[in-house]
């Protein structure tokens, strides 16, 4: 490659041999061509490694790197270290993208000189498709407009719980210098929720952001994937996630984020506590564990700060009441009713 590409596309790969070719073909079908692809094989044990090597041999824009398994964020960071582009994008290896995705996003980056470009995405399940849209009007926002219109609804917009701007890395283009400041601050041990820990600090730090109206990314929702796995380890994940947000988001600089974070923490707990404690119902220590989690400072703050009436769903309201007051018996009762 004689000169650095405008765009680097980083694709972490781990045991996705049945989906990988579709993903890579969608990238190679882009109408925009000034890019490089960095395939980071994160210790795959199926045929994914061979597919990566095959595509790297086929197209000079593709470079492949093999590493020991370290998780999604580890692979993304590794890809960034080898990347050459002025702008950086990510694609998950079991998803696919529209042919015009990078033409639209890179045109916005070039013409508007924005730090971040965001598009929308479609979640594709076996039986349905759901379009996920950011709350804001399409267009370019400078810092004053971001502060006035975007940041107050960045993490929470409208009903409980709806993200204002998607936490997903894969729907965004980042200026290299901006991403470099925030990508490496995320704990590598986190397996869920790590996207937002990069995305939201980047958005809060950006001088300008362009939002596109288009749905350009297709996220494959797979039952049984990591996103859907719930066990006691999720409680430790929650703690690390909340503690990291507390470290990375400067509430003095962005006071509008305080309430949004509390509602997000409550949402995460309501998402995880019921399935986790269902699996622990025969565990003699479940009551003690429940009370410890309810008393953990970010969790305690969240359920003190969130208005019960703002929470959607009767069961969720009851769960929130139980968590606020550490009522394990009532919480357990409603797990089965």
């Amino acid at each position: 490659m004689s000169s650095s590409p405008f765009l680097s596309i980083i694709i972490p790969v781990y045991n996705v041999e049945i989906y990988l070719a579709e993903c890579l073909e969608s990238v190679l079908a882009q109408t925009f061509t000034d890019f490089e692809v960095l395939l980071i094989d994160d210790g795959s044990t199926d045929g994914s490694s061979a597919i990566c090597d095959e595509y790297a041999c086929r197209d000079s824009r593709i470079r492949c790197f093999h590493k020991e398994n370290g998780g999604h964020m580890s692979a993304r960071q590794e890809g960034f270290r080898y990347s050459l582009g002025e702008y950086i994008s990510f694609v998950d290896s079991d998803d696919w993208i529209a042919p015009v995705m990078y033409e639209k996003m890179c045109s916005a980056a070039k013409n508007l000189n924005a730090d971040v470009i965001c598009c929308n995405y479609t979640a594709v399940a076996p039986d349905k498709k759901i379009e996920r849209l950011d709350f804001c009007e399409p267009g370019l926002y400078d810092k004053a407009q971001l502060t006035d219109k975007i940041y107050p609804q960045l993490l929470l917009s409208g009903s409980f719980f709806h993200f204002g701007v998607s936490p997903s890395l894969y729907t965004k283009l980042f200026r290299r210098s901006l991403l470099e400041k925030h990508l490496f601050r995320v704990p590598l041990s986190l397996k869920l929720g790590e996207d937002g820990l990069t995305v939201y600090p980047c958005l809060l730090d950006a001088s300008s952001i362009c939002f596109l109206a288009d749905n350009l990314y297709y996220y494959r929702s797979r039952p049984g994937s990591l996103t859907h796995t719930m066990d006691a380890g999720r409680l430790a994940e929650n703690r690390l996630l909340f503690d990291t947000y507390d470290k990375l988001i400067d509430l003095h600089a962005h006071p509008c984020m305080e309430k949004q974070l509390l509602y997000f923490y409550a949402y995460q707990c309501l998402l995880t506590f019921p399935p986790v404690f269902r699996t622990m119902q025969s565990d003699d220590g479940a009551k003690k564990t429940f009370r410890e989690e309810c008393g953990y400072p970010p969790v305690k703050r969240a359920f003190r700060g969130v208005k019960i009436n703002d929470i959607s769903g009767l069961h969720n309201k009851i769960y929130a009441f139980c968590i606020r007051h550490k009522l394990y018996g009532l919480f357990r009762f409603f797990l089965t009713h």
Side-chain angles (χ1 to χ4, degrees):
M1 199 174 296
S2 57
S3 62
S4 297
F6 182 79
L7 174 66
S8 294
I9 305 167
I10 298 170
I11 307 179
V13 175
Y14 180 71
N15 289 357
V16 286
E17 64 176 331
I18 63 173
Y19 305 115
L20 184 54
E22 182 181 8
C23 171
L24 297 180
E25 290 295 337
S26 75
V27 173
L28 295 179
Q30 292 298 295
T31 53
F32 177 84
T33 59
D34 186 14
F35 63 79
E36 65 170 353
V37 177
L38 297 103
L39 297 177
I40 312 299
D41 171 30
D42 192 33
S44 295
T45 56
D46 63 357
S48 299
S49 299
I51 295 172
C52 289
D53 290 335
E54 175 191 338
Y55 274 85
C57 290
R58 184 191 305 182
D59 194 307
S60 62
R61 295 173 297 176
I62 299 177
R63 291 188 284 152
C64 180
F65 302 89
H66 302 278
K67 63 185 283 295
E68 291 185 3
N69 181 256
H72 228 53
M73 186 53 67
S74 169
R76 287 166 171 164
Q77 292 180 0
E78 186 81 350
F80 185 91
R81 292 187 186 98
Y82 289 108
S83 66
L84 302 170
E86 182 180 345
Y87 281 81
I88 309 293
S89 176
F90 299 90
V91 176
D92 282 359
S93 51
D94 51 353
D95 300 335
W96 68 98
I97 59 178
V100 296
M101 176 168 171
Y102 290 129
E103 180 179 345
K104 287 178 176 286
M105 299 185 84
C106 291
S107 292
K110 288 180 177 180
N111 297 334
L112 303 174
N113 197 33
D115 283 341
V116 185
I117 300 88
C118 306
C119 70
N120 295 304
Y121 73 97
T122 301
V124 182
D127 57 342
K128 61 182 176 180
K129 295 181 180 179
I130 303 174
E131 291 191 347
R132 302 291 189 184
L133 307 176
D134 289 335
F135 84 97
C136 48
E137 291 294 320
L140 179 68
Y141 293 76
D142 62 21
K143 195 64 177 180
Q145 293 168 321
L146 290 170
T147 301
D148 181 47
K149 297 179 180 179
I150 303 300
Y151 295 161
Q153 299 183 75
L154 184 65
L155 194 58
L156 171 66
S157 175
S159 61
F160 185 94
F161 191 88
H162 188 275
F163 290 105
V165 177
S166 165
S168 303
L169 276 167
Y170 47 67
T171 57
K172 297 167 182 70
L173 246 63
F174 299 90
R175 190 184 301 277
R176 178 185 195 84
S177 57
L178 178 66
L179 185 64
E180 188 172 23
K181 290 171 62 177
H182 299 287
L183 182 66
F184 293 91
R185 301 174 70 192
V186 180
L188 295 182
S189 58
L190 262 178
K191 299 294 185 287
L192 291 165
E194 71 274 25
D195 277 27
L197 292 172
T198 299
V199 166
Y200 294 125
C202 278
L203 297 181
L204 290 168
D205 195 20
S207 297
S208 60
I209 302 173
C210 176
F211 293 92
L212 302 179
D214 310 77
N215 280 61
L216 300 173
Y217 191 98
Y218 295 89
Y219 164 75
R220 192 188 307 271
S221 180
R222 293 189 286 138
S225 68
L226 183 63
T227 307
H228 302 279
T229 303
M230 295 286 183
D231 56 30
R234 283 301 306 271
L235 301 177
E237 287 267 312
N238 278 354
R239 287 191 177 207
L240 181 56
L241 182 66
F242 302 160
D243 288 345
T244 307
Y245 267 112
D246 282 351
K247 291 176 184 175
L248 298 186
I249 303 294
D250 184 351
L251 296 181
H252 294 291
H254 303 287
C256 66
M257 294 300 295
E258 183 171 11
K259 176 184 175 182
Q260 295 182 68
L261 284 172
L262 293 182
Y263 273 66
F264 173 66
Y265 297 168
Y267 164 72
Q268 280 294 121
C269 290
L270 292 173
L271 194 66
T272 56
F273 275 31
V276 166
F277 283 99
R278 279 192 194 97
T279 68
M280 295 178 66
Q281 285 194 83
S282 59
D283 188 337
D284 293 337
K287 181 177 180 179
K288 179 174 181 289
T289 301
F290 177 82
R291 290 182 170 174
E292 286 175 349
E293 294 307 311
C294 296
Y296 193 66
V299 177
K300 189 175 182 179
R301 280 200 328 268
F303 284 95
R304 279 181 173 176
V306 170
K307 295 179 180 178
I308 300 293
N309 284 341
D310 287 346
I311 296 172
S312 59
L314 178 59
H315 266 68
N316 279 336
K317 291 179 191 293
I318 294 169
Y319 290 147
F321 180 83
C322 294
I323 294 169
R324 177 182 290 180
H325 298 287
K326 301 184 182 181
L327 301 174
Y328 178 68
L330 185 61
F331 180 87
R332 183 176 178 179
F333 173 80
F334 277 95
L335 287 178
T336 54
H337 290 79

